[in-house]
Amino acid sequence: MSVKSCEKIEKSQVALTIEVGAEAFQAAVEKAYRKMRGKINMPGFRPGKAPRKLIERMYGAEVFYEEAINIAFPDAYEEAVKEQELQVVGYPAVELVGDATGDGFTFKAIVPVYPEVTLGEYKGLTAEKEEVKVSAADVDERLKQLSDRNTRLVSVEREAKEGDTAVIDFDGYLDGKPFDGGKGENHSLELGSHSFVPGFEEQVVGMKAGDEKDIDITFPEDYHADLAGKAVVFKVKCHEVKEKEVPEMDDEFAKDVSEFDTLKELKADLKKKISEERQKAADREFEDALMTKVAEGITAEIPDAMVENQARQFVENFKMQITQQGIPYDQYAQMTGITEAKLLEDAKEPALRQVRMDLALAAVIKAENIEASDEEVEDEFKKLAEQYGMDLEMVKKYVQADQVKDQVISRKAVAVVVDSATAVKPEKKTAKKAAKKAEDKDEAAEGEEKPKKAAKKTAKKAAEGEEKAAKKAADDEEKPVKKSTKKAAKEAKKEEE
């Protein structure tokens, strides 16, 4: 193999012209012969036993060339990339130059490579940062959540009302015939939860144990295709009505749900925890805003392959999320009519932002000559072991030292940006903006209440969520491409248990 030319072209690509000589090509031809001879019929010879020379005489010397080129190409390409010290980020586009002969062949490969990155401003930046406040109402809301988790359901001999739980059997009929997914037995339905199709729960209100009733429902137009807009009848039987028995909010409640002896102590602890959570969220948003500015400020010709690879990773993660929600991806795709091509297209925009973020972080690391000492890596391993309650050596068995080192280095790079930045108070939202935000929130909540519908989250939204979580590589539990230290530690924890 010899590289005839190596030329940089647009979008961080390199055009390689590579020649494979006679010796290497003939070795590949021999391999092609051994691979193909069993499929070639020659009079007087059993399959696979005909000599190469006789086959070439009958079918022509070029009979093995195409397969030989396929055999010779990978090694020649890999050797050329290594010789030219290229940092390849995707598959090459390859074409043959001229014809192959007994003396070899020449091919051209267009190779996407890691781009040259020029940093813009990354120190002394300014970004908004929320001031953390915790009100008495916030603490009360958290107390209510604790109360809800410790609320019991007790049977009552009366008609069901909103807020109660009705234990029911139901059978759904479309045009007098049962339909798939329309049957349930001893189902506990919280009235007012909007977990069933609109109009169903409202008609269960007023039923009591032993009652039977036909409920007429028309499915929404945006329901899945088989039932969208269809009028159906549910035959419903109520077995039991239960109401919530809410615990008293007093010192005894505090003792039951926490390690504290008084409600006052519990409230103080909840206030502290809420403050810490919000501070962490504010810090993360501040870092995200700063790193977004750094990413937007870089200059780089980003090859399409990097964006496509990231988009595909987002889509694969999205498929996994759908499956983890209990919906087989093929079924989800059929129900929603979404195609993989559409998912990939939707994921490209957030994928480009993520690629720019990764490039920016790497450029800061390079500009600051950031490294991680053995002591820092060891300390990080100890933190992981403590966090997951595991033996240190078990963590080291499952989590690669290079992963931990990369995480430490990334965290230090983000700190360079954050520590030199200035936080400013966010501008107050106008009444119009606040109303729009509330409206969007209500619409989102309404969408979540619809029963048995496929998730509305698109690959683009899923990718944007992962992109945001991945901006801070120091805590990259959601970061795509390679398994994070936290994920590896979790797997190790499961095995240890």
Side-chain angles (χ1 to χ4, degrees):
M1 185 283 307
S2 64
V3 177
K4 294 300 182 183
S5 66
C6 179
E7 178 187 359
K8 290 182 179 180
I9 56 178
E10 73 282 350
K11 276 206 166 183
S12 295
Q13 297 181 105
V14 170
L16 285 173
T17 303
I18 304 166
E19 182 181 82
V20 177
E23 184 178 350
F25 185 56
Q26 287 304 320
V29 170
E30 180 63 22
K31 289 179 181 178
Y33 157 68
R34 294 181 183 281
K35 181 178 179 180
M36 298 172 61
R37 62 185 176 182
K39 300 177 183 178
I40 297 176
N41 294 319
M42 285 287 290
F45 293 93
R46 285 180 291 133
K49 297 299 181 180
R52 173 182 159 187
K53 294 297 182 185
L54 288 181
I55 295 174
E56 289 176 337
R57 188 178 303 166
M58 174 171 285
Y59 292 99
E62 300 84 8
V63 65
F64 299 118
Y65 281 7
E66 183 176 348
E67 184 62 31
I69 290 170
N70 292 333
I71 291 171
F73 160 73
D75 289 343
Y77 170 72
E78 187 177 338
E79 190 178 340
V81 166
K82 186 176 180 180
E83 178 185 297
Q84 298 299 314
E85 298 181 343
L86 301 179
Q87 191 174 352
V88 177
V89 295
Y91 295 108
V94 181
E95 63 176 341
L96 201 62
V97 179
D99 296 323
T101 69
D103 293 328
F105 67 97
T106 300
F107 67 93
K108 185 176 183 179
I110 305 299
V111 187
V113 296
Y114 194 89
E116 294 180 3
V117 180
T118 302
L119 268 173
E121 295 294 330
Y122 67 96
K123 290 182 179 179
L125 299 176
T126 300
E128 293 183 349
K129 187 173 184 179
E130 291 283 353
E131 183 180 352
V132 173
K133 296 179 181 179
V134 181
S135 68
D138 295 327
V139 176
D140 288 343
E141 177 61 29
R142 191 65 61 90
L143 277 172
K144 184 179 181 303
Q145 293 172 11
L146 283 173
S147 175
D148 289 344
R149 288 201 292 269
N150 288 273
T151 294
R152 297 192 307 135
L153 290 175
V154 295
S155 293
V156 290
E157 297 297 328
R158 59 168 173 76
E159 293 182 349
K161 60 184 180 180
E162 189 162 322
D164 289 340
T165 293
V167 181
I168 60 172
D169 293 342
F170 59 89
D171 265 307
Y173 293 86
L174 173 63
D175 297 330
K177 297 179 181 179
F179 58 87
D180 290 342
K183 181 179 177 66
E185 294 182 352
N186 292 313
H187 180 84
S188 293
L189 174 62
E190 183 180 349
L191 304 180
S193 66
H194 305 291
S195 58
F196 265 42
V197 66
F200 186 98
E201 294 172 28
E202 291 83 349
Q203 297 184 62
V204 176
V205 170
M207 295 182 73
K208 60 182 182 295
D211 284 355
E212 296 185 24
K213 183 178 184 180
D214 286 354
I215 292 179
D216 295 317
I217 292 293
T218 299
F219 280 96
E221 293 294 338
D222 61 350
Y223 207 74
H224 74 72
D226 293 342
L227 295 171
K230 300 290 179 64
V232 302
V233 176
F234 283 98
K235 294 185 178 298
V236 180
K237 180 176 182 179
C238 181
H239 293 294
E240 188 179 10
V241 176
K242 298 179 181 181
E243 70 175 6
K244 294 178 180 179
E245 187 176 80
V246 182
E248 289 290 332
M249 200 65 65
D250 54 19
D251 291 345
E252 287 302 315
F253 172 76
K255 291 176 183 178
D256 289 341
V257 301
S258 71
E259 71 272 26
F260 301 105
D261 293 327
T262 67
L263 186 61
K264 182 179 180 180
E265 289 175 309
L266 175 58
K267 285 185 174 181
D269 183 66
L270 289 176
K271 183 174 183 178
K272 178 183 176 184
K273 287 179 178 175
I274 296 170
S275 179
E276 289 172 349
E277 290 167 7
R278 292 184 177 178
Q279 187 62 58
K280 186 176 181 180
D283 291 343
R284 171 58 63 83
E285 290 297 323
F286 182 55
E287 291 175 7
D288 287 348
L290 292 170
M291 291 307 297
T292 296
K293 287 188 175 184
V294 177
E296 290 171 349
I298 68 170
T299 302
E301 288 190 355
I302 300 174
D304 293 338
M306 290 187 78
V307 179
E308 290 164 3
N309 290 342
Q310 183 65 73
R312 185 161 295 281
Q313 185 62 53
F314 279 149
V315 170
E316 291 304 314
N317 290 350
F318 173 66
K319 288 181 179 179
M320 185 169 62
Q321 290 169 16
I322 290 295
T323 302
Q324 288 173 344
Q325 292 174 19
I327 309 171
Y329 173 72
D330 290 343
Q331 180 182 335
Y332 168 83
Q334 185 176 6
M335 290 168 65
T336 60
I338 196 82
T339 64
E340 185 153 332
K342 174 62 174 171
L343 292 176
L344 285 168
E345 185 62 32
D346 286 347
K348 280 186 178 179
E349 184 181 333
L352 175 59
R353 290 197 296 269
Q354 181 59 55
V355 169
R356 291 187 69 87
M357 186 68 65
D358 292 341
L359 292 173
L361 189 62
V364 172
I365 292 169
K366 182 178 179 181
E368 295 290 324
N369 294 314
I370 298 173
E371 296 180 352
S373 68
D374 292 341
E375 291 78 10
E376 288 172 322
V377 172
E378 184 67 15
D379 286 344
E380 191 67 21
F381 269 122
K382 290 177 181 177
K383 288 178 184 176
L384 285 170
E386 183 179 348
Q387 180 179 351
Y388 290 95
M390 294 174 58
D391 178 73
L392 179 60
E393 294 307 314
M394 180 63 74
V395 174
K396 289 183 177 181
K397 177 182 176 182
Y398 283 89
V399 183
Q400 297 179 5
D402 284 346
Q403 283 181 281
V404 175
K405 186 174 183 179
D406 288 346
Q407 188 161 298
V408 172
I409 290 173
S410 296
R411 183 185 296 128
K412 292 168 76 172
V414 172
V416 168
V417 177
V418 173
D419 292 347
S420 65
T422 301
V424 296
K425 289 184 178 181
E427 294 181 9
K428 290 184 178 180
K429 294 183 177 71
T430 63
K432 185 177 180 180
K433 285 183 179 179
K436 179 68 169 65
K437 186 174 181 180
E439 181 183 336
D440 291 343
K441 187 176 181 181
D442 289 342
E443 288 178 358
E446 182 181 350
E448 288 174 4
E449 290 167 357
K450 294 179 180 179
K452 299 182 181 179
K453 292 183 71 176
K456 293 290 185 181
K457 192 176 185 184
T458 65
K460 182 177 180 180
K461 290 181 180 177
E464 287 173 342
E466 289 194 43
E467 169 203 9
K468 186 175 181 181
K471 284 176 182 174
K472 186 173 184 295
D475 187 20
D476 64 349
E477 184 170 0
E478 300 283 334
K479 189 170 183 179
V481 181
K482 65 180 181 181
K483 185 167 58 180
S484 73
T485 55
K486 287 191 175 182
K487 285 185 178 178
K490 284 181 178 178
E491 291 178 6
K493 178 69 173 176
K494 286 181 182 178
E495 176 139 335
E496 188 179 49
E497 291 172 348

